[in-house]
Amino acid sequence: MSDLKSRMPAEWRPEGRTLVLALALCAVVAATAYVCIVFPRDQGRIAPIWLANAWVVAALLRSPTRNWPLLVGFGALGDMAANVLAGDHLALSVGLAASNQIEIIACAWLVRWRCGPNFDIARVSHLLTFVVAAAIGPALSAAAAGVMLGLSGRQEILQGLMVWIEADALGLLTLTPALLVITQKGRPPIAWREIWTLAVLAVVSFLVFFVARYPLLFVVSAALTLPTWRMGLPGAVAGCAIIAVIGTVAAFTGHGPIMLTAPPDQIVGLQIFLMVSLLTSMPVAVAHDASEGLKARLQAALDEARAARIEAERSAAVKSEFLANMSHELRTPLTSVVGFTRLASEQRDLSPLSRDYIDRVGEASRALLCAVNDILDFSKLEAGQVTFRPEPVALQALTRTALDMFTPQAAAKDLALQLEDTTPTGLLVTLDPDRLRQVLLNLVGNAVKFTAQGKITLSVAYDTATERLAIEVRDTGPGIPPDRLDRLFKRFSQVDGSLNRGHGGTGLGLAICKGIVEAMGGEIAATSVVGEGSCFALSVPAPRAQGATADVAEERQPAVRTGVKVLVTDDHAANRELVRLFLAAIGAEITEAEDGEAAVRAAAEQTFDVILMDLRMPKLDGIGAVTQIRGAVGPNQATPILAFTADAESAFDDRLQALGFDGAVAKPVEPGRLISAILGAISSDDLDEEAARGVA
Ligand code: ADP
């Protein structure tokens, strides 16, 4: 025997769990069948619902087909035992059990064939297949039983074959889905909070079947919608089971609206009622479950999106911190390279070759600086970190200066620069002048860069009704092919890579322009005809400045003063040296400090006109030093202090002002800007003093 066992293929050997399932099935089928046979028979009736087969069908649908023979065999044993115990003839018992097995196998096989092993009663198509199978199976078994009963002379049962089909179908439709729902792996949890809906249904059913004097069956149907809608499939199945139990007990004890019909129709009436209840509530339940599933998936997708957004924000924060550091690390050495190259090129005794080399270094370092600035600008725009500071701006002065900046380059190429300005004279509008200038320099710069001959026109118009500013930059350059126009404002887009190698550039300029213009609430677009030229047009909201006069916004030329005492604080000796060299032009007296502590010491000893303060330094940083200088009762408590920084955040803002700074000088430092910032700080300080004296 053990030899035979060892030779059997592994999959033929039933697992322990399957054997236990088969034995349990045998017992439960026997018990259910016995109740369904004996109870109605004692009442002289036929069972309105046959539940025994439903157990086996559920077991088959949850098992691989190789286990089916065993499960069907044990189910049949239970069935036969129940019939024999109920007093039926052995041959009849075997025959009835056999016809039940036809029903079971037909139903389970149809479902497995159509829906596969992953049968899911909660899917509409699977549910419909099951309903059809639950009708075909009983019809086949009824036909087989009919033949048998006819042969055995049990004519009274033969007459009720329709009742048989309905009873079996009802059993399959109520109990099997319930078992499948309970044993469904990974099914959504049963909403136990909604269990009260079943209690309501039970009470309503009890009242309708046992208490009411009128045929109020429809009230039961209405009550069934409650658990169906609140609990989905488990609610519908449990609800139908409750109605079936209460209805059956009522029918056998002579209660309920069903009893109002004539005796042979009573069972059929009850069956039809149960069947209709099932067939209407189950699809509704499945639809409910599907919508709940969708809701759950939507929620999961929303949670995922939220998590992704948090992650994106986190990495954006990391990126901007990285950028701030990089901006510092890149701009600081560039400050020295650009500045010292300029100073070196101004030396008189240079050989032509040395001058050529120095010029090349200067050109390359300026290009590198432009690229670094572009990348930093673009990253800041992308991260939404660019702050806009609208202020009253004299538009005509701004556009004229922007165009004039390109006079040397245009003259070198024999290009004409033309300004068409139709704005009202002295017009003051509110916008961020630095950002608008940045866009203009980019557009005019491109036009000059790419145009070989002809002219560049900057046209400026103002619509007083809509308070919008319209600017166009037109050139007579090579033009841009239509298929490239839409990509123009995308980052790193260059129309002709080979052409650009000659001109340089990062391909970020227009993307930055678009970012700035859109952040200002405007729009920008390009039109072009290849061989004729291009036109870049932008329009931005520019409300008229309220209460300001033209003089306010005109750039104030600070009066040049010599002998200005400046404390330059920077941990890089090269930067201090650069400032010393640049400020030599106005005869400034420079004191150097290499960190915050040295600056505080120097500020305690002598009075300065201006203090230039680097922000990031070892020992004591700029903010700490300013706090101490402002806090101490010393000679420089009220001296103007300018932040001197290469940070991406170098622009002077409310934060710096609140910390005690009076302005900022951005690195890489430019001689003009440095001198005008120093003199500007002194002149406003002088004005303050004069005002103070006037008041006194
Ligand atoms: P870049 O730094 O390369 O100039 P931009 O974003 O400013 O980057 O420009 C992208 C590309 O668009 C340029 O490389 C060039 O090919 C094309 N382009 C921009 N302006 C003009 C123009 N006025 N005429 C022809 N081509 C232009």
Side-chain angles (χ1 to χ4, degrees):
M1 174 70 193
S2 65
D3 197 37
L4 177 74
K5 221 173 156 191
S6 64
R7 267 184 279 128
M8 278 166 78
E11 64 268 28
W12 282 17
R13 256 179 270 146
E15 296 158 11
R17 277 176 52 209
T18 316
L19 262 179
V20 171
L21 177 65
L23 284 170
L25 205 56
C26 180
V28 80
V29 166
T32 322
Y34 184 77
V35 171
C36 287
I37 297 165
V38 173
F39 184 48
R41 196 182 280 170
D42 287 353
Q43 309 283 321
R45 297 165 197 274
I46 306 167
I49 179 164
W50 178 256
L51 296 168
N53 296 351
W55 295 101
V56 191
V57 171
L60 296 189
L61 290 180
R62 282 273 171 265
S63 307
T65 36
R66 64 170 186 270
N67 292 340
W68 283 20
L70 188 81
L71 297 174
V72 171
F74 275 75
L77 262 179
D79 197 336
M80 274 188 292
N83 275 290
V84 170
L85 282 174
D88 276 341
H89 213 266
L90 182 63
L92 179 63
S93 302
V94 172
L96 286 173
S99 54
N100 274 333
Q101 302 324 300
I102 293 175
E103 170 183 322
I104 289 166
I105 294 170
C107 178
W109 178 81
L110 261 171
V111 173
R112 177 61 55 94
W113 171 53
R114 297 301 303 167
C115 308
N118 298 324
F119 174 68
D120 180 2
I121 190 84
R123 274 168 66 180
V124 178
S125 59
H126 287 195
L127 176 68
L128 287 177
T129 310
F130 178 74
V131 170
V132 172
I136 292 177
L140 289 177
S141 73
V147 173
M148 230 150 359
L149 292 169
L151 292 176
S152 71
R154 298 277 300 265
Q155 302 296 335
E156 83 283 358
I157 302 183
L158 196 57
Q159 283 159 8
L161 269 190
M162 200 55 214
V163 177
W164 167 299
I165 296 176
E166 285 173 8
D168 279 24
L170 265 179
L172 290 179
L173 287 172
T174 2
L175 186 57
T176 308
L179 296 171
L180 291 173
V181 167
I182 292 167
T183 54
Q184 173 94 41
K185 267 193 208 130
R187 68 170 160 72
I190 292 173
W192 295 110
R193 283 180 293 123
E194 307 290 350
I195 210 83
W196 61 270
T197 56
L198 291 173
V200 170
L201 176 66
V203 170
V204 169
S205 303
F206 179 79
L207 292 176
V208 168
F209 280 103
F210 287 95
V211 181
R213 288 174 50 208
Y214 305 103
L216 296 178
L217 268 184
F218 54 88
V219 179
V220 177
S221 302
L224 178 59
T225 56
L226 196 60
T228 303
W229 194 243
R230 307 291 297 203
M231 298 173 73
L233 203 50
V237 169
C240 288
I242 287 173
I243 300 174
V245 170
I246 294 177
T248 308
V249 173
F252 288 145
T253 53
H255 291 92
I258 303 287
M259 290 300 113
L260 296 174
T261 50
D265 298 334
Q266 288 168 348
I267 295 299
V268 178
L270 178 63
Q271 287 179 328
I272 291 174
F273 172 65
L274 290 175
M275 193 79 82
V276 170
S277 301
L278 264 169
L279 294 181
T280 48
S281 63
M282 295 238 290
V284 173
V286 167
H288 168 272
D289 286 355
S291 88
E292 289 295 309
L294 271 181
K295 262 196 241 163
R297 284 215 292 282
L298 186 67
Q299 190 56 46
L302 282 176
D303 290 348
E304 216 170 279
R306 200 168 298 134
R309 202 193 64 210
I310 291 170
E311 176 57 24
E313 281 170 359
R314 201 187 59 80
S315 43
V318 171
K319 187 175 143 192
S320 49
E321 196 186 323
F322 170 75
L323 278 173
N325 290 334
M326 282 309 286
S327 107
H328 185 255
E329 298 309 320
L330 290 173
R331 286 184 180 182
T332 303
L334 273 174
T335 308
S336 303
V337 177
V338 173
F340 283 110
T341 313
R342 191 194 299 255
L343 290 172
S345 71
E346 282 168 9
Q347 302 297 308
R348 293 216 187 98
D349 48 355
L350 287 178
S351 72
L353 190 63
S354 309
R355 184 171 301 285
D356 183 41
Y357 288 167
I358 289 174
D359 286 350
R360 283 175 195 223
V361 173
E363 228 166 78
S365 54
R366 273 192 298 280
L368 184 58
L369 188 56
C370 283
V372 168
N373 284 339
D374 270 4
I375 292 169
L376 291 172
D377 277 353
F378 182 73
S379 307
K380 278 181 80 180
L381 270 168
E382 241 193 352
Q385 289 175 346
V386 174
T387 38
F388 288 82
R389 283 170 232 287
E391 58 181 69
V393 175
L395 209 51
Q396 289 176 338
L398 190 147
T399 44
R400 158 95 349 227
T401 330
L403 195 63
D404 283 350
M405 294 239 344
F406 293 93
T407 311
Q409 288 105 305
K413 294 169 91 175
D414 229 6
L415 292 173
L417 285 183
Q418 191 178 332
L419 178 66
E420 288 175 358
D421 193 341
T422 60
T423 58
T425 318
L427 173 70
L428 276 183
V429 292
T430 309
L431 44 72
D432 186 326
D434 294 333
R435 301 292 168 204
L436 182 63
R437 195 180 298 112
Q438 190 177 355
V439 173
L440 290 184
L441 295 184
N442 224 311
L443 296 181
V444 179
N446 273 352
V448 172
K449 186 161 77 170
F450 293 106
T451 306
Q453 58 185 34
K455 65 174 179 185
I456 316 294
T457 311
L458 171 62
S459 107
V460 192
Y462 186 71
D463 185 335
T464 36
T466 57
E467 300 203 319
R468 278 184 91 86
L469 175 65
I471 295 181
E472 279 185 13
V473 178
R474 294 189 297 272
D475 63 51
T476 53
I480 300 154
D483 59 320
R484 297 300 182 94
L485 271 178
D486 54 332
R487 295 222 324 256
L488 216 52
F489 294 97
K490 304 235 163 76
R491 56 187 171 182
F492 304 120
S493 78
Q494 294 189 327
V495 173
D496 180 347
S498 56
L499 189 74
N500 279 90
R501 260 192 283 282
H503 293 293
T506 51
L508 279 175
L510 290 176
I512 293 172
C513 289
K514 186 175 160 70
I516 292 176
V517 168
E518 286 179 353
M520 288 170 107
E523 60 244 16
I524 183 166
T527 48
S528 185
V529 179
V530 175
E532 288 185 21
S534 311
C535 172
F536 289 82
L538 68 95
S539 126
V540 284
R544 264 177 185 272
Q546 302 290 325
T549 64
D551 330 340
V552 177
E554 291 290 352
E555 281 182 15
R556 203 193 290 156
Q557 287 304 315
V560 177
R561 224 175 90 172
T562 53
V564 181
K565 294 194 182 71
V566 183
L567 171 62
V568 182
T569 315
D570 198 303
D571 53 332
H572 288 268
N575 284 343
R576 297 199 300 271
E577 179 61 17
L578 206 58
V579 173
R580 176 184 286 282
L581 288 167
F582 286 164
L583 292 186
I586 56 165
E589 283 176 26
I590 303 292
T591 305
E592 293 184 24
E594 71 280 3
D595 58 44
E597 282 180 2
V600 173
R601 274 199 305 277
E605 283 164 14
Q606 58 166 308
T607 312
F608 294 102
D609 293 314
V610 183
I611 297 175
L612 203 55
M613 184 69 75
D614 187 12
L615 291 188
R616 298 178 183 213
M617 288 180 295
K619 293 189 188 166
L620 182 63
D621 66 7
I623 292 168
V626 170
T627 313
Q628 289 193 21
I629 294 170
R630 293 277 185 244
V633 188
N636 294 295
Q637 200 177 15
T639 301
I641 304 181
L642 304 177
F644 184 40
T645 171
D647 283 350
E649 305 297 328
S650 60
F652 184 58
D653 57 14
D654 298 346
R655 188 184 63 96
L656 283 180
Q657 190 166 25
L659 289 168
F661 287 91
D662 299 273
V665 176
K667 292 177 196 169
V669 65
E670 295 209 336
R673 275 211 219 144
L674 175 69
I675 292 169
S676 97
I678 296 279
L679 297 181
I682 295 167
S683 60
S684 61
D685 197 40
D686 289 350
L687 282 179
D688 288 350
E689 271 174 30
E690 274 162 32
R693 259 182 261 126
V695 171

